Amino acid sequence: MSIESTRAADFAVVDTPIGPFTAITDDEGAVLASGWTADAENLRLLIHPMLRPPVLRQQDSLGAVTEAIVAYHRGEVHAIDDVPVHQRSGEFLMHAWDVLRKVPAGDPVTYTEFAAIAGRPEATRAAANACARNAAALFVPCHRVLRIGGALGGFRWGLDAKRWLLDHEG
């Protein structure tokens, strides 16, 4: 077991226009997992085993992370851009998540385009897998990736939430 995974992590739940949003942060204030749910334990299980905290502590606020969540949902769509995120996986997924953070709000891409900007134009399925395995929703904005023709595709937090996010950013 990694030393990283022996630490407790903090979480807070924020009310948003599309339901409760929970974020889990490490002791450096980086987001480990987040999404539109009040179930912090379910989120904890999405965290890579090497980073997964054994204990969660509920807080009223996570400081800058909570401020960014509130600001984003109020219309400041760039408030999430500089929030640190810690995820772990293989080389391509790590790179793909970094690329996702650079997809501009209001300018979604297709899975095919995402694969190309991630440097593997033939790997559309791998690009879709990066979205599916992303534990840090919103901060790693997988909602900005669509199917060819503009169909929403999948989204762990529901297609209604994905549509709201895209409309909010548009």
Side-chain angles (χ1 to χ4, degrees):
M1 180 179 284
S2 164
I3 292 174
E4 293 173 318
S5 66
T6 63
R7 299 183 184 141
D10 294 324
F11 78 95
V13 181
V14 177
D15 288 325
T16 76
I18 50 176
F21 184 90
T22 300
I24 300 173
T25 59
D26 63 17
D27 59 354
E28 297 172 8
V31 174
L32 296 171
S34 54
W36 288 268
T37 179
D39 187 347
E41 179 57 24
N42 185 45
L43 274 179
R44 187 185 76 83
L45 296 175
L46 298 178
I47 301 168
H48 188 279
M50 289 185 68
L51 297 175
R52 187 179 302 142
V55 176
L56 295 176
R57 300 174 299 223
Q58 185 165 6
Q59 306 294 333
D60 291 334
S61 173
L62 300 173
V65 171
T66 297
E67 291 168 14
I69 295 164
V70 170
Y72 172 88
H73 286 88
R74 284 190 184 153
E76 297 174 41
V77 297
H78 299 289
I80 60 170
D81 294 351
D82 295 324
V83 172
V85 173
H86 286 164
Q87 293 195 90
R88 191 160 280 161
S89 191
E91 185 177 331
F92 178 74
L93 286 183
M94 298 285 290
H95 172 68
W97 292 329
D98 287 342
V99 168
L100 267 175
R101 295 202 77 187
K102 294 177 179 108
V103 173
D107 194 17
V109 297
T110 66
Y111 289 101
T112 303
E113 291 167 333
F114 174 42
I117 61 177
R120 292 185 49 194
E122 71 292 340
T124 301
R125 284 182 189 247
N129 185 45
C131 292
R133 294 194 44 204
N134 171 32
L138 185 63
F139 301 100
V140 178
C142 54
H143 64 273
R144 295 178 186 162
V145 184
L146 305 170
R147 289 185 176 166
I148 291 176
L152 293 180
F155 190 56
R156 179 189 316 270
W157 308 108
L159 295 184
D160 289 342
K162 186 171 184 173
R163 171 53 53 210
W164 188 93
L165 293 163
L166 291 168
D167 290 347
H168 181 65
E169 293 179 350

